[in-house]
Amino acid sequence: MSYLFADYNRPMTRGNYATDFSNLNEGCAFPDNETLARNAIYKFNMNLFTGEYACNKNLVAIINDEYTEINYKVLPLNYFKLIVNKLDSLLFGNDLTIKTGDVARDAVVNRLVERTGWVKSIREAVKLCEIYGDSCIKTGRFGASAFAPKYAYKVVDASDKKKTIGYVLHEILYETTELAQGKKDYNPKYIRILISCKGFDYERVYEYRGTNVSGVLGKPVRYKYKDRWIPRKGRYYWTGINDCETVQWLSVNIDGDGVYGTSSFSQVKDLIFAIENRLSTENWVIDAHGKPLLIAGMSSFKTDELTGQYYLSVVNGKYLVDKGGAENKPQYLTWDGKLDASKQVRDDLMSTFYELSEMGRTFLSGEYTGNISEESLNNIIKSAIDRGNREVNDFWYDIRKSLYMLCRLNNIEVALEDINVTFNVGRVDDTKVIAETCDMLAAMGLFSKQTLLNKFWGYSEEDAKAEFERIKSETEGGITDDTTGSTETDIRV
């Protein structure tokens, strides 16, 4: 299915979401039309990110009032990948802050996060989310893994589409056929379906007739998958965590119905295509007129007595013989290309691109002059920071669910609402600047020290109280010299 077909039909299929698991029976087409249309758009968006969209893409010109393809390749400007990479740096350029409301538990959770590489998986999921508009995380005891949304879909409540009943994941299982000269052929043979709901996962394998895009479910079968056997009737895996699934679904730019998201490319893709065409046209025009045209008078030609055709007079195969006067002297005709209007249009398109992407020229290009402060730089890239914070709000709750599931599966008792994951979006002031700001605000009586620890240092209420106790203990354990402000250890018994 082409992107244009899917883009045309997507408004028709949008809203026709699965509200039960009835399509997971023998003889059912899999997946449904809504998922197929969405997957085609997912594929196109990934091609934008990788740059494959520009393969074999030629310029189109209007010749004799008709659109004609010119044998000249469009120059790809992969702003799509630049957008994703810049957002990735913006959101994860500073370490995430993870708090659970208890200092001792924070240390245990952070060690678990480090040991399982959880942040790396979350970063990958967010990157996929920017590309597709959606992405998925499968969280288990040993960590989390991110995967593309084309391998899953949601089952939603028929009366409230924003409420998800469960998630359906699938994996095509191939049969290997040996060919001549050591080559192998891979044909879809089975399909593994995994349903993730609160409290349990359910896994089953079916025979499958079709392609890696769509097909028909056959009979359920007993199947050995990796190191385990999956019975013909399927198998349940009970998690004991009845308020969360093992699958988390991330979305940005969420549709009006709140079910699926929209790629970060959707609003700017046409602008980028227009910029590419404009720049490619300018380059084609310059190339087409880059070689000057030689004009020579008739006196520079001789006539072949046998054929009667004209040919240029040369000496040693290099020099024209000029037998005429100055007016017949050979000369080059050069083209004075006037591309100012085209460049102005391209500049206007770029300006609109910076505006609609919310990234800004300074942030995308990294161009700024002078030794500016962190605060000034944050103000310059404020639109990009605002976008980053808005998108964090879109997927923050699902990221927190992933960490909650990871903790619970590793026997760490914590409530979902106690977990706080802070994305330190943008450039962060150094420690000295923050300390001076806190000192000033405390001295002015605008905020308590506990509030300042929470606002600027990410301390929870319990963390702040524990820190004050440590400060008090250290202060009471020494002698303070009032004249110098220094503290010496009290060694008297």
Side-chain angles (χ1 to χ4, degrees), residues 136-419:
C136 305
I137 305 171
K138 184 71 168 66
T139 307
R141 181 183 176 188
F142 300 104
S145 58
F147 61 95
K150 62 182 180 179
Y151 299 111
Y153 64 86
K154 297 180 181 181
V155 177
V156 300
D157 191 318
S159 59
D160 183 4
K161 293 180 179 178
K162 293 184 179 180
K163 181 180 178 181
T164 302
I165 298 173
Y167 303 94
V168 177
L169 285 60
H170 73 273
E171 177 187 4
I172 304 294
L173 304 172
Y174 295 88
E175 183 180 55
T176 305
T177 304
E178 298 290 339
L179 301 177
Q181 299 178 347
K183 295 182 179 180
K184 296 181 180 180
D185 190 23
Y186 299 92
N187 300 304
K189 181 69 174 179
Y190 302 99
I191 185 170
R192 183 176 71 96
I193 301 293
L194 187 141
I195 299 172
S196 179
C197 297
K198 292 179 179 179
F200 70 89
D201 286 349
Y202 174 74
E203 184 180 35
R204 200 175 193 183
V205 176
Y206 299 80
E207 293 178 346
Y208 178 74
R209 300 184 303 275
T211 67
N212 61 351
V213 175
S214 63
V216 177
L217 298 181
K219 295 180 180 180
V221 297
R222 182 173 181 263
Y223 189 87
K224 185 175 184 180
Y225 181 77
K226 296 183 178 179
D227 59 347
R228 64 182 184 275
W229 280 98
I230 302 173
R232 185 178 61 84
K233 293 183 178 182
R235 171 170 290 168
Y236 285 92
Y237 302 91
W238 303 98
T239 64
I241 304 168
N242 297 323
D243 58 349
C244 191
E245 306 90 345
T246 61
V247 172
Q248 292 76 43
W249 192 288
L250 278 59
S251 296
V252 291
N253 309 313
I254 300 174
D255 289 342
D257 56 23
V259 179
Y260 294 106
T262 306
S263 171
S264 298
F265 308 150
S266 60
Q267 195 165 339
V268 296
K269 68 178 187 296
D270 291 335
L271 274 172
I272 294 175
F273 295 155
I275 294 168
E276 288 179 338
N277 285 333
R278 180 59 52 189
L279 182 62
S280 299
T281 301
E282 293 173 16
N283 198 52
W284 171 67
V285 170
I286 293 174
D287 283 351
H289 297 85
K291 297 180 180 180
L293 179 64
L294 176 65
I295 296 182
M298 286 300 297
S299 62
S300 300
F301 290 85
K302 286 185 177 182
T303 304
D304 190 310
E305 295 180 355
L306 295 177
T307 63
Q309 294 181 345
Y310 294 103
Y311 65 92
L312 284 170
S313 301
V314 296
V315 177
N316 295 331
K318 294 183 179 180
Y319 305 103
L320 287 169
V321 176
D322 180 20
K323 296 182 179 179
E327 68 278 4
N328 290 320
K329 183 177 180 180
Q331 56 185 316
Y332 286 103
L333 176 65
T334 58
W335 173 77
D336 183 16
K338 298 183 182 298
L339 298 174
D340 293 343
S342 179
K343 291 179 180 178
Q344 181 60 53
V345 172
R346 181 156 49 86
D347 288 343
D348 291 342
L349 290 171
M350 287 298 303
S351 179
T352 306
F353 164 67
Y354 291 137
E355 182 179 348
L356 288 181
S357 68
E358 301 181 59
M359 309 294 277
R361 182 185 184 94
T362 300
F363 182 70
L364 281 177
S365 66
E367 294 179 3
Y368 59 89
T369 58
N371 186 21
I372 62 177
S373 66
E374 299 288 345
E375 182 179 1
S376 298
L377 188 56
N378 273 338
N379 288 333
I380 291 174
I381 65 173
K382 186 177 185 303
S383 61
I385 293 176
D386 289 343
R387 173 177 176 170
N389 283 319
R390 184 181 69 246
E391 295 187 354
V392 165
N393 289 335
D394 284 346
F395 50 68
W396 182 83
Y397 290 96
D398 295 287
I399 285 177
R400 182 174 69 164
K401 283 183 180 180
S402 175
L403 182 56
Y404 170 70
M405 179 60 67
L406 180 67
C407 291
R408 291 294 307 277
L409 291 175
N410 283 273
N411 300 319
I412 299 176
E413 291 299 324
V414 61
L416 177 62
E417 57 270 19
D418 288 337
I419 296 177

